[in-house]
Amino acid sequence: MKITIILFSLFLLTVCPLLAQVDSSSGAVTGVIIDSKAQYPLPYANVLLIGTTKGATTDKNGKFQVKEIENGVYNLKITFIGYEDKIIKNLHIDAGSIMDLGSIAMIEKEFFLDQITVTPGSFSLMGDAKLSGQTLTSKDIKNMSWAEDVTRAVTRLPGVASSDYSSKFTIRGGESDEVLITLDGMELYEPFHQRDYSGGLFSIVDIETIDGIDLNTGGFPADYGNRLSGVLAMKTKKIREGERHSSVGLSVTNARAYSDGTFAGGKGTYLISARRGMLDFLFKVAPSVESNTLDQSVSPSFYDAMGKITYDLNSKHAVSFHVLQAGDKSKIRDIDPNAIDYDKNDTEYGNTYAWLTLQSFYRPNLNSRTLLYSGLVTHNRRGEFNKYEPSDKGMFNLTDKRDYSFIGLKQDWNWQVVKKLILRGGFDFKQNRVTYDYNMHLDELRVDLNAQPYQYDTTRTIDLNQKGKQFSIYLSGRYQLLKPLTMDAGLRYDYASYSHDKVWSPRVALAYAVTDRTILRTAWGYFYQSQYINNLDVNHGNVTFDPAQLAKHYVVGLEHSFSNGINLRVEGYYKDVTLTSPSWQNLRDRLEAFPEQRNDNIRVITNGTTSRGIEFFLKHDTGGKISWWLSYALAKAEDDIKAIEYDGYLTKQLGKVPRLNDQRHTIYTDLIYRPDQNWTLNLSWKYYRGWPRTDYTYRYITLPNSDLHFYAVHGEYNKTLYPDYHRMDIRVNRIFKINDHSKITAFVHLINIYNHKNLKKFDLDTRDDNDNYSIDTNGNYVPVRDDTYWFGFLPVIGASWEF
């Protein structure tokens, strides 16, 4: 806490004088915004001085005034829902003067059919929203907590959940692998670094390369398939003719370099990015966790690199080529030098993607995109232990190597038949191949239900070479039934040869414009997901694939833009998943990287799962100094459990049981303050009700050699809740302008500023602080907590140089 107070005091000393500064040599701009035809005033339009944080909102009479403008030449941008943006250029602002622009006429915008957001649960980030004010801009994201990670940005939205350590996220009570993640149309199968840490610490895509993100949390159209819960579609930057940008950056998480530009007289553009993780260096210089009897070390490393070249063949066709490469290594050592005990884990993962894209514009109303793609995803785990501890006595050895390669062709078409009808269609054909080389031996002491010890000895060897084809085809149509009513309906077919899946997915969505500020949306559909060919559960001896799972989505939503600049979204949903596959879970540590080695591994068989909830999202940003957004979700996610298979002590629950990621109440809030164009302060707070867990205690038996052996006795499955989670972060960004084409941006990110202890894993030890067995005078075990926690107070710093 002393460190917190010192850093926060330094922050106040730095920022408070800045907030008090008022430039006496300043000018102002005033005017009145009106409709070009009816000539009536437009209240609550947004006025922004481009390149600054100066802005204003028109009053009920359409009047505005932008104050405290330094001497210079500026461009003024005016925006209002339902009207075309207007930019007034070359305004010469002089000190002490007020420039009156008089009446400024805005032209009502004609919305094209493809600009209407029909599906509820749609969010646009970083790019330009088509019809919705519910977006997070590039500036919003780059100034928020964990701004360096593109996928962490979406966790600020309702219905999305993740942990402190993970960039991987879930949507509306589903699993993380139920979200389709694409980059410029290419599916990314393993899009996260360091998967052994809560599923993935960071995205493999550098946020510097991204220009827009579209997130859909339910009811998405038939264009997207083979996922149960949602879609995250990322788009790389488009480089304009004559532009060139480069940057380098360094923080405690990674070092990075980026460059883009044009060639061939502007006909071609390029983009290149490379990052190298710094966590392994950080662990080396940080104090190691050591005692007289224990040597522990962790060494995670990662890198990624991406390149993109685009070339205009002619006025109608453009070709682009992408390459994305990412790799991870992690080494964990837990060795007792004074005994034979050790625990060693080594993992290596690789991702390689390459795709060639042809964009074709045959006519103004007809275009297509064709992708020829291939990739290689590698997976290599090695682990072993030898233990003679109070609760663990045995040995384990594992090698798990998988290589997944694929090649495919996909094409998407878009045809505006008439003004009120757009047809979309396409196909995707993919040839898959995967090799499994899995070898595991586990020999350990366990206790049966009669409290008798026995030796559990199992060996598993699986060597498979699996091939398979996948094919999908879809047809969707968007039709304006009435002037305020638009429908988007589609049908897709998905086939997977290796799992014998042949499934049809009908989907329909409706959007009704109640007023020019209020839209009602609803969606329904079937969403199938086949098991990945590289995700066969060989860990538990499975050599056959499960059939596709089915989710039925029912979503309804309302979106309203208030006249004071506040945007509101409310959505309710119900998701019913059937044909579910059995799942393996660890009762005491669900984040274990080697789950098959543990004696708390259970098999859960369900009749299905359901998720339901209501979500609220509010945002206010009129281009002024202060903006904010707030989201709240009330949700319920349950498994309908048919059976639980486990040889140990567990009070099993059948029927409706909360899911592991059931997160009933969730609140995200962000406040951004921009005193001027060089400083930005972000204050964020996060809260959610604790996740379900299974409680346990220890009992013990005496072995023939007089040693004690402790074994876990579990309570009701998922009956207990973790304590509620909450934390507050502060991030300060400062821009140092070197010249018109170069600047340095530095940031300080203070995580969990009030150092709240958020429980990550409930854990018990068999010994007390004096290293004695925790047993009372009656011979009963006395619980000793040995919990682990999420982030405490943690300062993160970094800087980047753009030129």
Side-chain angles (χ1 to χ4, degrees), residues 711-726:
Y711 59 96
V713 178
H714 302 91
E716 286 190 70
Y717 172 73
N718 275 7
K719 185 68 173 180
T720 307
L721 294 178
Y722 276 99
D724 292 355
Y725 174 103
H726 58 88

Side-chain angles (χ1 to χ4, degrees), residues 17-36:
L18 175 71
L19 305 185
Q21 291 178 2
V22 177
D23 191 347
S24 60
S25 59
S26 62
V29 175
T30 64
V32 180
I33 310 300
I34 62 173
D35 179 272
S36 62

Side-chain angles (χ1 to χ4, degrees), residues 63-79:
K63 296 179 179 180
F64 73 90
Q65 183 177 41
V66 183
K67 304 177 181 179
E68 299 177 4
I69 306 173
E70 297 177 357
N71 289 342
V73 180
Y74 299 92
N75 296 330
L76 191 74
K77 183 177 182 179
I78 305 167
T79 60

Side-chain angles (χ1 to χ4, degrees), residues 139-350:
K139 287 185 177 180
D140 290 335
I141 292 175
K142 289 183 178 181
N143 292 315
M144 67 194 301
S145 297
W146 297 111
E148 295 73 38
D149 196 337
V150 62
T151 49
R152 287 181 188 265
V154 302
T155 63
R156 313 301 296 175
L157 299 173
V160 183
S162 68
S163 72
D164 275 11
Y165 293 172
S166 183
S167 182
K168 183 177 284 191
F169 57 91
T170 62
I171 292 178
R172 291 178 173 172
E175 301 295 336
S176 56
D177 63 359
E178 296 174 5
V179 182
L180 173 66
I181 298 180
T182 66
L183 178 65
D184 285 345
M186 177 69 201
E187 180 178 352
L188 305 181
Y189 297 92
E190 295 289 354
F192 301 101
H193 286 299
Q194 295 297 320
R195 289 177 243 162
D196 298 321
Y197 297 90
S198 301
L201 288 179
F202 308 104
S203 166
I204 65 172
V205 179
D206 185 359
I207 194 171
E208 193 65 29
T209 66
I210 300 302
D211 192 43
I213 304 171
D214 292 320
L215 173 71
N216 201 301
T217 57
F220 45 94
D223 310 44
Y224 303 102
N226 204 31
R227 289 301 188 280
L228 296 177
S229 291
V231 178
L232 179 74
M234 297 179 285
K235 294 167 286 190
T236 56
K237 290 180 176 177
K238 292 182 178 180
I239 315 303
R240 288 177 290 186
E241 184 176 351
E243 287 191 344
R244 186 185 69 81
H245 307 90
S246 296
S247 65
V248 292
L250 178 66
S251 71
V252 297
T253 57
N254 66 73
R256 47 163 295 273
Y258 168 86
S259 184
D260 66 45
T262 62
F263 63 93
K267 295 184 69 175
T269 67
Y270 68 88
L271 178 155
I272 187 168
S273 168
R275 297 187 300 175
R276 203 280 189 196
M278 302 297 291
L279 295 179
D280 51 337
F281 294 114
L282 186 63
F283 279 113
K284 287 179 182 179
V285 301
S288 61
V289 183
E290 294 186 3
S291 68
N292 294 329
T293 59
L294 189 65
D295 177 19
Q296 294 182 330
S297 63
V298 180
S299 180
S301 63
F302 68 88
Y303 74 91
D304 56 64
M306 189 184 79
K308 170 189 171 184
I309 295 177
T310 301
Y311 187 80
D312 293 334
L313 300 175
N314 51 46
S315 61
K316 293 186 176 181
H317 302 280
V319 64
S320 62
F321 180 68
H322 296 67
V323 175
L324 175 62
Q325 167 74 39
D328 297 82
K329 289 184 180 180
S330 181
K331 181 172 70 174
I332 301 176
R333 296 291 182 267
D334 188 348
I335 302 171
D336 187 344
N338 300 320
I340 62 171
D341 292 1
Y342 62 84
D343 196 346
K344 304 177 182 178
N345 295 332
D346 295 271
T347 57
E348 295 181 31
Y349 303 108

Side-chain angles (χ1 to χ4, degrees), residues 473-494:
I473 188 169
Y474 73 91
L475 179 64
S476 296
R478 177 170 296 185
Y479 183 64
Q480 191 172 24
L481 301 171
L482 302 169
K483 186 175 182 180
L485 181 62
T486 303
M487 178 179 69
D488 195 303
L491 180 67
R492 69 174 291 122
Y493 171 78
D494 289 279

